[in-house]
């Protein structure tokens, strides 16, 4: 059973018995919002497009600290050197164990970051009976099968509380995201660094830490080196007939253009914190974790 299937099953269990859906109000909620449509057929399970994967990878890389990006670079270069030595008739692999398995283990600590990035970048989530998308405002006109609820303000749900709750759970990466408002750009950089350091600790609820520049897909200083290393690793893996378990080929492609999450107006003096999926049961602890990372000042709910 895939993770997507497990999440969908949990959502169905949460919403058992909710057979009738009603709109919360004739007055549309203020944005950002979740647009909920009743699914008429089973969702298609499709692999992420290369553009989507590239954007998610860029968010993940931006959310890593410079030291973490250095660790990823070192791990890729080491795996590449070992694979190249195995291909050379004069080479000798001085390492023990499988280099790709070791690379996967080394990069596994960053899996929650990439998982959160992929979920956040998607902007749309589907289950057996719901199709949920995040938007800056409610679509007009709305069809009879559509419900539009506030992304963060559940007090506006009224008659659609059960439906909205299920939709927010399914869209966990955006519905549980938090915006930290700060006094200056310098404070933003300091806060982001502090939160990224806390994310490395065991038990952290934090998946991604992003600034407005990160959402605009600005290139990080180490991206060029990561791109070269990923391309070299991809070439030697192909020559060795090995599979890329981490989809690192996205690092080897050019940094995508555009902006992620156009539905969110994030100021230059704000930090966006996205939770990690494995800690949703402890999401109530995230404000305290943010508060404990000076110089961050916690603000909830996120700015609209």
């Amino acid at each position: 059973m895939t993770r997507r299937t497990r999440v969908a099953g949990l959502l169905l269990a949460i919403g058992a018995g909710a057979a009738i859906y009603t709109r919360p109000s004739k007055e549309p909620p203020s944005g950002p919002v979740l647009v909920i449509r009743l699914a008429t057929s089973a969702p298609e399970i499709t692999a992420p497009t290369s553009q989507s994967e590239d954007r998610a990878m860029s968010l993940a890389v931006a959310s890593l600290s410079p030291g973490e990006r250095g660790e990823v670079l070192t791990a890729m270069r080491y795996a590449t050197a070992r694979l190249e030595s195995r291909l050379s008739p004069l080479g000798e692999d001085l390492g023990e164990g499988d280099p790709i398995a070791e690379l996967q283990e080394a990069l596994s600590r960053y899996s929650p970051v990439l998982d959160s990035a992929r979920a956040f970048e998607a902007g749309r989530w589907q289950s057996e009976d719901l199709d949920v998308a995040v938007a800056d405002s409610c679509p007009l006109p709305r069809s009879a099968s559509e419900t539009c609820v506030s992304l963060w303000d559940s007090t506006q749900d009224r008659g659609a509380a059960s439906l909205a709750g299920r939709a927010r759970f399914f869209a966990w990466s955006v519905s549980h995201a938090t915006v930290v408002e700060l006094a200056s750009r310098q404070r933003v950089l300091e806060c982001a660094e502090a939160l990224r350091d806390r994310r490395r600790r065991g038990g952290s609820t934090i998946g991604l830490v992003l600034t407005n520049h990160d959402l605009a897909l600005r290139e990080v200083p180490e991206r060029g080196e990561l791109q070269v290393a990923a391309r070299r690793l991809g070439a030697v893996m192909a020559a060795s007939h090995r599979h890329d378990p981490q989809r690192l080929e996205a690092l080897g492609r050019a940094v995508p253009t555009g902006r992620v999450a156009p539905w969110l107006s994030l100021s230059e003096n704000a930090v966006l914190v996205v939770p990690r999926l494995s800690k949703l049961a402890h999401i109530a602890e995230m404000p305290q974790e943010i508060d404990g990372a000076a110089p961050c000042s916690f603000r909830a709910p996120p700015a609209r």
Side-chain angles (χ1 to χ4, degrees), residues 151-168:
L151 177 61
W152 290 304
D153 187 2
S154 60
T155 63
Q156 300 182 34
D157 294 347
R158 297 181 177 89
S162 176
L163 177 64
R166 294 179 60 220
R168 289 194 187 95

Side-chain angles (χ1 to χ4, degrees), residues 171-191:
W172 60 270
S173 60
V174 296
S175 64
H176 290 296
T178 294
V179 172
V180 183
E181 297 284 356
L182 298 155
S184 66
R185 176 64 183 169
Q186 181 59 35
R187 296 283 284 184
V188 165
L189 298 177
E190 293 171 357
C191 176

Side-chain angles (χ1 to χ4, degrees), residues 110-174:
Y110 306 116
S111 293
V113 179
L114 189 52
D115 289 343
S116 293
R118 286 169 176 155
F120 182 83
E121 188 279 333
R124 181 185 177 190
W125 309 268
Q126 294 175 287
S127 70
E128 293 294 332
D129 62 338
L130 294 183
D131 187 325
V132 182
V134 63
D136 58 352
S137 61
C138 295
L140 294 175
R142 273 185 281 161
S143 70
S145 63
E146 286 182 337
T147 299
C148 187
V149 299
S150 171
L151 177 61
W152 290 304
D153 187 2
S154 60
T155 63
Q156 300 182 34
D157 294 347
R158 297 181 177 89
S162 176
L163 177 64
R166 294 179 60 220
R168 289 194 187 95
F169 183 85
F170 205 57
W172 60 270
S173 60
V174 296

Side-chain angles (χ1 to χ4, degrees), residues 70-242:
E71 291 172 2
V72 172
L73 187 60
T74 298
M76 287 196 298
R77 285 173 171 170
Y78 181 62
T80 299
R82 290 190 59 194
L83 288 174
E84 287 177 340
S85 68
R86 289 186 173 192
L87 290 174
S88 172
L90 301 178
E92 181 180 359
D93 183 5
L94 300 179
E96 297 181 1
D98 180 67
I100 299 304
E102 290 184 4
L103 174 64
Q104 188 171 6
E105 181 179 358
L107 298 183
S108 63
R109 72 188 68 176
Y110 306 116
S111 293
V113 179
L114 189 52
D115 289 343
S116 293
R118 286 169 176 155
F120 182 83
E121 188 279 333
R124 181 185 177 190
W125 309 268
Q126 294 175 287
S127 70
E128 293 294 332
D129 62 338
L130 294 183
D131 187 325
V132 182
V134 63
D136 58 352
S137 61
C138 295
L140 294 175
R142 273 185 281 161
S143 70
S145 63
E146 286 182 337
T147 299
C148 187
V149 299
S150 171
L151 177 61
W152 290 304
D153 187 2
S154 60
T155 63
Q156 300 182 34
D157 294 347
R158 297 181 177 89
S162 176
L163 177 64
R166 294 179 60 220
R168 289 194 187 95
F169 183 85
F170 205 57
W172 60 270
S173 60
V174 296
S175 64
H176 290 296
T178 294
V179 172
V180 183
E181 297 284 356
L182 298 155
S184 66
R185 176 64 183 169
Q186 181 59 35
R187 296 283 284 184
V188 165
L189 298 177
E190 293 171 357
C191 176
E193 181 181 0
L195 290 177
R196 287 164 182 165
D197 179 65
R198 293 187 73 88
R199 193 207 68 241
R200 291 173 62 95
R201 304 179 187 180
S204 174
T205 60
I206 298 173
L208 287 177
V209 179
L210 301 168
T211 67
N212 186 56
H213 285 198
D214 299 329
L215 292 180
L217 300 176
R218 306 281 178 85
E219 189 169 343
V220 299
E222 300 86 355
R223 187 59 190 265
E225 290 182 278
L226 288 168
Q227 186 180 62
V228 171
R231 288 176 177 175
R232 183 179 168 191
L233 176 61
V236 72
M237 287 180 69
S240 304
H241 305 287
R242 300 300 301 270

